[in-house]
Amino acid sequence: MKIIGQCDIKEIAEMYGTPLYVYDKQQIISNYNKLKTAFRKHYTKTEIHYAVKANSNIHLLELFNELGSGVDCSSPIELFLAKKAGFDRSNIMYTGNYESIDELKFVIAEDVIINLDDINSLKRLLRFHTPERVSFRINPGIGRGGFEGIVTAGSDAKFGVPYEKGYEAYKMAKDAGVKHFGIHMMTGSNNLEPYHFVEIVDKLMNIAGDIFTKLEIVPDYIDIGGGFGIPYTDEEEDLNIELTAKLVCEIFHEKCEKYNFGEPHLKLEPGRYLVGNAGYLITEVTGIKESYKTFVGVNGGMNTLLRPSLYGAFHRAYVYGDKANSNYVNLCGQICENSDIFARHLHFPEVEEGDLVILRDVGAYGYVMASNYNNRLRPAEVFVDGNTASLIRRKEKIEDILNLYEENSL
Ligand code: LLP
């Protein structure tokens, strides 16, 4: 591997240092257009709300705004960044969980669309305000994800209103004087199987049909969440998004007709699908150890990219250049934890100190989950657009760490 977009990786690394996150702008644009076209072909009232949590760099948010996307925010600061990136409040949605009163007050003051995580969230909200519109995140009782840690519905999930309590939740809102309604779910992340989406949409539509028929509600929107997966290995195949869109829209149409919903907006909240495969993490080999096993240590670890140690996630790794794989190594970072291992028993080329090692598919849940563990500094981020590379966030400095201490305590 040598290039990202049309930029040479070594040149980018020399210019900005390592470790370094690099995002391919054209890849993001193409992902967005692919998803939008697939769904709009079958349902013109489809709206994409990019899930800011996947990658909240403000320059990526600006790009999504230019592309005409909306956003879904999960914290007040994500909402603040979305506004700063230029999003109109009508395109901003907010989906929190265990939302505090202060958080609810902040979101309500911003006048954006809100999906409430619980019936008690509504009770907290009603203490100070009766909104025009209410939507609940429903836990439809089933969820599926790439691994256990990213299943966000079903009986073990902390999210959403259990669907059996959905009627009670909407009734409380209606009785309180709420006039407009939406419904939401997010059941799991990184799904590569189109029929999974059919199953959950079918379930949500029936839940909505049951509740809304009883309460004589016609929903403004139905939000089926994100969860569209990407392959992380050579063996996995792309999610067939055309088929997914076709099947989802078929069931959506059918149920809208059955329950007399008219034509509500169909909202999607993709994160990973839009940015995941556009991101690369460039690291540099800092040490090679022949221990009981061979360890190749690089200057980015679980502090830079947490997914492997948190979930056992796999990211393909390449050495800059075109050396063939020749031995088996354990690729690790510099953090004082034995879970700071990107990959075990990885078929890898011969490397030397200073070689560049590039991890793929880190555009989603990469930088956003990075930390200062061991007081290592967070890396810079770069946007590549064709043959141009530009810095979109500088590397952290020691001053950024020191700034958090009260001045007189140092
Ligand atoms: N909407 C809501 C309310 C969500 O909670 C999420 C992700 C999304 C949308 C976007 O889901 P996506 O399209 O990216 O699957 N850190 C994990 C992923 C956690 C996902 C949490 N919620 C990872 O690194 O795989």
Side-chain angles (χ1 to χ4, degrees):
M1 163 160 215
K2 269 192 168 160
I3 54 165
I4 299 172
Q6 293 149 33
C7 291
D8 184 87
I9 293 173
K10 198 167 199 145
E11 282 174 22
I12 307 177
E14 275 161 11
M15 193 157 355
Y16 300 106
T18 59
L20 183 70
Y21 272 99
V22 179
Y23 310 117
D24 181 347
K25 193 170 179 175
Q26 293 306 323
Q27 183 68 56
I28 298 178
I29 296 173
S30 136
N31 295 342
Y32 176 79
N33 287 335
K34 193 168 175 189
L35 184 70
K36 188 182 85 175
T37 311
F39 273 87
R40 290 254 173 105
K41 183 174 163 198
H42 300 285
Y43 195 64
T44 49
K45 288 177 80 176
T46 305
E47 287 171 350
I48 296 180
H49 289 259
Y50 167 62
V52 175
K53 61 175 73 72
N55 188 326
S56 54
N57 187 299
I58 195 159
H59 299 287
L60 267 76
L61 300 185
E62 284 165 356
L63 172 63
F64 281 112
N65 189 34
E66 278 167 32
L67 291 172
S69 176
V71 272
D72 178 55
C73 305
S74 65
S75 73
I77 294 184
E78 284 188 0
L79 174 46
F80 176 85
L81 287 173
K83 275 179 56 196
K84 219 170 161 50
F87 284 95
D88 189 87
R89 47 173 46 89
S90 60
N91 284 331
I92 302 180
M93 198 159 56
Y94 191 92
T95 315
N97 60 95
Y98 303 86
E99 316 90 323
S100 69
I101 297 248
D102 284 349
E103 187 175 338
L104 289 168
K105 280 186 176 160
F106 177 85
V107 179
I108 292 299
E110 294 296 342
D111 194 21
V112 299
I113 311 160
I114 186 165
N115 297 306
L116 295 169
D117 184 54
D118 190 27
I119 194 162
N120 286 332
S121 311
L122 176 66
K123 287 185 193 161
R124 288 198 290 282
L125 174 53
L126 290 175
R127 276 195 234 159
F128 65 92
H129 180 71
T130 305
E132 266 290 294
R133 174 158 66 188
V134 153
S135 162
F136 286 102
R137 175 175 183 164
I138 295 289
N139 178 344
I142 45 169
R144 192 173 294 135
F147 18 79
E148 206 188 317
I150 56 175
V151 174
T152 51
S155 57
D156 280 335
K158 69 163 185 154
F159 303 101
V161 179
Y163 72 96
E164 298 89 339
K165 290 189 175 171
Y167 171 79
E168 192 190 332
Y170 281 94
K171 180 156 190 329
M172 182 182 291
K174 200 172 178 203
D175 290 348
V178 176
K179 298 274 179 299
H180 300 279
F181 298 89
I183 190 163
H184 173 281
M185 71 173 165
M186 169 65 202
T187 62
S189 193
N190 202 31
N191 288 295
L192 290 167
E193 172 49 64
Y195 288 92
H196 159 72
F197 295 94
V198 181
E199 186 188 356
I200 55 168
V201 172
D202 184 39
K203 183 106 202 238
L204 183 71
M205 294 303 281
N206 287 334
I207 293 166
D210 184 41
I211 299 170
F212 294 159
T213 306
K214 283 186 199 146
L215 290 169
E216 294 176 359
I217 286 173
V218 177
D220 293 354
Y221 72 84
I222 293 173
D223 183 335
I224 63 168
F228 307 102
I230 59 166
Y232 283 94
T233 65
D234 289 341
E235 288 72 42
E236 284 169 319
E237 280 180 26
D238 281 344
L239 167 67
N240 185 338
I241 202 69
E242 284 80 17
L243 179 63
T244 306
K246 179 174 175 283
L247 297 172
V248 163
C249 292
E250 267 169 23
I251 196 90
F252 187 80
H253 273 299
E254 183 191 317
K255 300 287 174 172
C256 281
E257 209 160 285
K258 175 168 178 196
Y259 297 115
N260 294 316
F261 285 168
E263 287 197 342
H265 290 283
L266 168 61
K267 287 188 188 287
L268 314 176
E269 283 172 20
R272 188 187 317 269
Y273 189 84
L274 298 182
V275 293
N277 68 354
Y280 300 81
L281 175 61
I282 308 179
T283 66
E284 199 170 321
V285 176
T286 48
I288 299 160
K289 182 182 291 176
E290 295 301 341
S291 180
Y292 300 101
K293 293 174 174 164
T294 303
F295 289 91
V296 171
V298 295
N299 62 357
M302 64 190 288
N303 53 319
T304 329
L305 175 68
L306 182 62
R307 303 188 72 253
S309 19
L310 186 61
Y311 312 112
F314 178 75
H315 286 267
R316 283 170 283 196
Y318 303 89
V319 178
Y320 176 80
D322 40 27
K323 288 191 216 167
N325 291 340
S326 54
N327 48 348
Y328 286 90
V329 305
N330 294 272
L331 188 64
C332 64
Q334 299 176 294
I335 295 299
C336 304
E337 294 271 353
N338 213 36
S339 53
D340 181 29
I341 295 191
F342 282 143
R344 293 174 198 273
H345 202 63
L346 184 68
H347 203 198
F348 215 53
E350 199 69 48
V351 283
E352 322 174 346
E353 288 174 21
D355 277 350
L356 296 176
V357 171
I358 302 118
L359 289 122
R360 262 187 68 175
D361 306 311
V362 301
Y365 309 109
Y367 186 96
V368 286
M369 291 170 77
S371 76
N372 290 124
Y373 189 30
N374 284 186
N375 276 285
R376 298 250 174 214
L377 302 169
R378 269 178 281 218
E381 292 174 290
V382 162
F383 233 160
V384 157
D385 187 5
N387 57 11
T388 325
S390 42
L391 188 67
I392 52 170
R393 177 155 35 193
R394 67 161 169 78
K395 183 183 165 83
E396 230 166 10
K397 296 179 189 167
I398 174 122
E399 288 78 12
D400 297 317
I401 307 271
L402 295 178
N403 273 342
L404 296 174
Y405 295 97
E406 295 294 339
E407 246 168 63
N408 59 7
S409 75
L410 288 178

